[in-house]
Amino acid sequence: MPSLPELERLSGRRSAAIKAGMLQLVEQYYIQWDDKQPVETAVVIEAWERDVPFKDHVAAGPHKSQQAEITGNIDYWTEY
């Protein structure tokens, strides 16, 4: 987990907004974090968003990432 100054630099947000966002993630059980500890002590419990529909993906092999099928139209630019 990045430090608070690094999160401020990367996100462009102030420390209060970052901590508020992290507390929301704690409430939703995405991370474990004691707000009296540094942010880098946070532990990710669930790294993916819940209840988000995903399009069907085609497996690219056991060691490759999954990729959407290329259709040759503008769906890539309008859907992703």
Side-chain angles (χ1 to χ4, degrees):
M1 184 72 180
S3 65
L4 189 57
E6 191 172 356
L7 286 173
E8 289 175 346
R9 181 181 60 81
L10 293 171
S11 69
R13 300 185 191 281
R14 296 183 184 248
S15 62
I18 292 170
K19 288 180 180 180
M22 290 187 65
L23 288 173
Q24 287 181 350
L25 293 173
V26 169
E27 290 173 6
Q28 296 172 6
Y29 301 106
Y30 281 103
I31 64 172
Q32 288 180 335
W33 177 61
D34 179 4
D35 63 340
K36 295 171 184 67
Q37 297 294 322
V39 295
E40 52 268 19
T41 63
V43 177
V44 176
I45 299 170
E46 188 170 343
W48 284 222
E49 291 186 48
R50 300 176 193 121
D51 302 325
V52 177
F54 292 99
K55 290 191 172 204
D56 294 333
H57 288 78
V58 177
H63 299 291
K64 296 180 182 174
S65 63
Q66 294 182 346
Q67 299 175 351
E69 184 177 347
I70 299 173
T71 60
N73 58 28
I74 65 168
D75 287 349
Y76 175 83
W77 303 105
T78 59
E79 298 291 328
Y80 303 100

